[in-house]
Amino acid sequence: MPDVNPAPAAREYDALIIGAGFSGLYQLLCLRDRLGLNVQVLEAGDGVGGTWYWNRYPGARCDSESHAYNYTFSKELFEEWEWTERYPDHAEIRRYLNHVADRFDLKKDIRFSTRVVGARYDEAANRWSVTTEAGETLTAQFLITAVGCLSTANVPKFPGLEEFGGDWYHTGQWPHEGVDFTGKRVGLIGTGSTGIQATPVIAETAAHLTVFQRTANYSVPAHNAPLTPEFKAWVKENHAEIRRIMHSNTNGQAFFIEDRSAWDVTPEQRQTLYEAAWAKGGLQFRAVFRDMLLDKAANDTAAEFLKNKIRSIVKDPVTAALLADIDHPYAAKRPPIDTDYFATFNRENVTLVDVRRAPIEAITPTGLRTRDAEYPLDIIVFATGYDAMTGPLLKLNIAGRNGLPLAKAWEAGPRSYLGLQVAGFPNLFTITGPGSPSVLCNMPVAIEQHVEWITDCIAHMRKRELARIEAQTDAVEKWVEQVNDAANATLLPQAVSSWYLGANVPGKPRIFMPYAGGMARYREICANVAARNYDGFALSD
Ligand code: NA7
């Protein structure tokens, strides 16, 4: 009898997909049901949902409107699902994704509670070998990452966190059973979209909420509300039109950016247009003028309007000034939308603390210490964002040709071709990878386009009996240049603290990561590449 069990034989697949959120589910459906491939999805969580599996913090809700936050590939699916609110909350999105998974019988090919800890390309066999935390090995010809852009929590390394006597949570790893804030002194660090959503909800039950703000932020009211029967009926009747709009604009949303400049109208008309957009609410505020993200002076008019709104809502002038002391153009960082965020600072039990002027120095056993003061706390909420876009990929410990680690290939920042493939990593596809529009687009739209492109590419390879596809170095170089040029043509790089640039994670290279040339343009570029026999990729048998 051998004294050690032999390692189980590696399980072999045509394709392995990592992640069971919007991307992974649709990629599985396409490869399994349309191409007939033998596919397995590996998912760390014990359910589907991706980002929405993990993000269950108070107030967690999508900022895209529900009728735009869908798959659109199936008219039947689109018509049979009914959202209840203008912006779906995390629980409703999980219900939707479970419905999709059940409707297309996807769960039988998903391995839950299976975390990938390594992936290595075997050149001789032309296969990817993927290892799981449990020590299992699976192999496949194609490896497709569907890990999302915002799934690696950024918990700042404040000294003393281990000794904190209370409870602490990162919003992206929220306990499924929820957190009871009743009667507690709560500290919330971070005023991005997440902090802005969570603040009003936590303030309702906490004894006291202290919000620690490093960078002040704009926010526009979401005006969330239940959907009316008329609106629901309109959505069902307009699947094709909604899809057409989302596919033909820059940001994948179900609205167009107005084709007028801020300078085409008088200052009074501008004010009226901004007031109307404020009353309508949501991300559409960006759509009032086409040059809002191109011309700093045009942007200033929106910025001033929004800062005045803060000053008019927040009663305490010192707090109002701190909230309105915003250092970047409107929408150069991801623009949050909110429900009563600024008004929450009028509550007796809410305090704003400026940690730009007096940074957080340490977490103490009883709370948090800034350079200026000590704050006793029972609970600390880290709404401190993510190691965005590259973090989830680097965490997988991927090694390509000749064992080259992805971390090494991306030492100076991510370099990819179309955000789809990395040179030196054959048959690896990165859904919504850095270098693609991803987070600058309504995510389901960006995801559907990538998944369909990858599916068509694999179908093309199978038909021609090609076994390997790899991005070429010169194509990568040119694409990186295009990504930089697209960003530099906008005001986006002016937000120096933006996670689009990797600026929120100490030591991370500052590279503008998403492609800012617009989703419609990007879609066309990808289609042209495919039509020109996958120009920029090397295909071989
Ligand atoms: P964000 O947008 O990255 O926001 C994180 C916030 O946390 C932001 O205000 C940061 O300030 C703050 N932060 C991060 N580290 C620290 C430290 N060390 N000290 C103080 N404050 C800190 O993440 P979100 O989760 O809100 O949103 C992510 C995306 O999810 C969102 O854009 C949507 O696309 C969905 P900073 O601005 O870096 O000065």
Side-chain angles (χ1 to χ4, degrees):
M1 267 232 321
D3 58 0
V4 280
N5 289 329
R11 292 163 195 240
E12 298 181 358
Y13 298 92
D14 295 323
L16 283 167
I17 299 167
I18 308 174
F22 264 94
S23 324
L25 293 179
Y26 187 37
Q27 189 67 79
L28 168 61
L29 180 126
C30 286
L31 295 183
R32 188 192 70 184
D33 297 354
R34 294 187 195 159
L35 303 193
L37 265 54
N38 177 16
V39 189
Q40 183 80 181
V41 176
L42 306 174
E43 165 58 54
D46 66 6
V48 301
T51 277
W52 301 107
Y53 175 87
W54 302 102
N55 277 272
R56 303 178 188 223
Y57 61 85
R61 190 177 284 286
C62 184
D63 286 348
S64 291
E65 296 192 36
S66 52
H67 64 291
Y69 205 69
N70 292 289
Y71 293 109
T72 61
F73 67 85
S74 160
K75 184 168 184 285
E76 295 70 35
L77 170 64
F78 187 89
E79 286 174 353
E80 79 199 10
W81 180 260
E82 256 187 22
W83 295 106
T84 62
E85 292 180 277
R86 181 172 174 187
Y87 307 92
D89 77 357
H90 62 97
E92 191 169 23
I93 300 171
R94 277 196 303 282
R95 281 199 294 280
Y96 172 68
L97 290 173
N98 272 289
H99 167 72
V100 173
D102 293 336
R103 187 188 195 282
F104 295 101
D105 199 14
L106 299 175
K107 287 181 185 167
K108 68 173 195 257
D109 293 307
I110 304 173
R111 282 238 236 134
F112 293 106
S113 307
T114 304
R115 186 175 289 282
V116 170
V117 294
R120 204 179 172 81
Y121 178 66
D122 175 347
E123 174 112 44
N126 186 31
R127 290 186 77 76
W128 281 92
S129 185
V130 172
T131 34
T132 70
E133 201 169 36
E136 203 179 348
T137 302
L138 302 92
T139 78
Q141 181 186 2
F142 296 102
L143 177 61
I144 302 165
T145 60
V147 288
C149 298
L150 298 164
S151 54
T152 305
N154 169 42
V155 180
K157 294 184 176 49
F158 296 124
L161 184 57
E162 312 74 53
E163 281 91 57
F164 179 54
D167 296 318
W168 69 269
Y169 309 92
H170 186 280
T171 50
Q173 295 166 339
W174 204 256
H176 291 194
E177 63 281 11
V179 176
D180 185 5
F181 295 103
T182 316
K184 306 281 189 195
R185 296 162 304 176
V186 182
L188 179 142
I189 306 171
T191 52
S193 299
T194 301
I196 283 176
Q197 284 187 338
T199 290
V201 186
I202 297 176
E204 275 170 23
T205 52
H208 195 90
L209 171 65
T210 308
V211 176
F212 297 92
Q213 170 186 283
R214 186 164 71 178
T215 305
N217 221 334
Y218 303 95
S219 187
V220 169
H223 295 314
N224 187 38
L227 295 177
T228 61
E230 295 73 35
F231 186 80
K232 289 182 189 175
W234 177 85
V235 170
K236 280 183 203 291
E237 282 157 21
N238 285 281
H239 165 260
E241 180 60 5
I242 292 168
R243 184 175 151 92
R244 189 189 67 77
I245 297 172
M246 296 202 298
H247 280 204
S248 54
N249 66 19
T250 53
N251 54 27
Q253 295 290 353
F255 58 81
F256 282 111
I257 292 179
E258 295 290 342
D259 189 23
R260 68 179 161 225
S261 159
W263 312 120
D264 291 344
V265 298
T266 64
E268 294 71 32
Q269 287 168 329
R270 256 199 314 273
Q271 187 70 11
T272 307
L273 289 168
Y274 285 145
E275 284 291 358
W278 177 269
K280 200 171 195 180
L283 294 172
Q284 292 193 51
F285 195 87
R286 274 180 306 180
V288 175
F289 296 115
R290 70 168 133 75
D291 44 359
M292 219 189 263
L293 259 178
L294 303 174
D295 172 355
K296 175 69 169 55
N299 192 287
D300 284 346
T301 65
E304 207 36 48
F305 175 89
L306 293 171
K307 289 176 187 178
N308 282 334
K309 283 292 181 196
I310 299 172
R311 295 177 194 118
S312 72
I313 296 169
V314 180
K315 295 191 179 123
D316 172 47
V318 177
T319 306
L322 193 50
L323 287 165
D325 185 16
I326 306 175
D327 65 356
H328 52 276
Y330 168 64
K333 289 178 90 165
R334 162 67 154 70
I337 63 173
D338 70 276
T339 301
D340 296 333
Y341 175 64
F342 295 116
T344 298
F345 291 95
N346 294 332
R347 293 177 66 117
E348 289 292 314
N349 69 334
V350 177
T351 314
L352 182 69
V353 172
D354 178 3
V355 293
R356 157 120 342 144
R357 195 182 48 80
I360 298 170
E361 285 187 341
I363 307 296
T364 68
T366 53
L368 181 156
R369 192 178 71 237
T370 68
R371 199 191 60 203
D372 283 0
E374 191 98 33
Y375 297 88
L377 299 169
D378 303 309
I379 297 177
I380 301 177
V381 175
F382 288 89
T384 43
Y386 300 87
D387 180 355
M389 309 198 68
T390 49
L393 292 168
L394 294 175
K395 218 169 59 174
L396 298 173
N397 293 312
I398 300 176
R401 211 185 269 287
N402 305 318
L404 175 72
L406 184 62
K408 181 88 186 142
W410 282 3
E411 216 169 19
R415 306 180 73 74
S416 80
Y417 184 35
L418 302 170
L420 276 163
Q421 267 218 336
V422 186
F425 296 76
N427 292 355
L428 169 70
F429 293 103
T430 52
I431 302 177
T432 63
S436 73
S438 63
V439 291
L440 297 179
C441 180
N442 180 27
M443 285 307 282
V445 173
I447 287 166
E448 279 193 339
Q449 185 266 342
H450 259 195
V451 167
E452 286 164 11
W453 193 96
I454 293 165
T455 306
D456 290 347
C457 175
I458 293 177
H460 169 95
M461 291 173 69
R462 294 253 144 169
K463 203 162 154 205
R464 285 161 185 77
E465 298 184 352
L466 296 164
R468 196 183 329 233
I469 178 164
E470 182 177 355
Q472 295 298 277
T473 312
D474 57 338
V476 171
E477 298 303 318
K478 282 190 200 133
W479 183 248
V480 168
E481 230 171 82
Q482 282 197 57
V483 172
N484 287 335
D485 291 349
N488 290 334
T490 71
L491 303 176
L492 290 164
Q494 290 192 20
V496 291
S497 65
S498 162
W499 58 259
Y500 296 156
L501 275 167
N504 61 326
V505 177
K508 188 165 171 170
R510 303 256 169 135
I511 304 278
F512 194 86
M513 294 183 283
Y515 173 69
M519 189 61 210
R521 170 103 192 88
Y522 175 80
R523 184 186 295 281
E524 198 184 307
I525 294 170
C526 291
N528 287 338
V529 164
R532 290 197 308 270
N533 209 14
Y534 293 90
D535 192 17
F537 292 96
L539 289 124
S540 56
D541 49 19

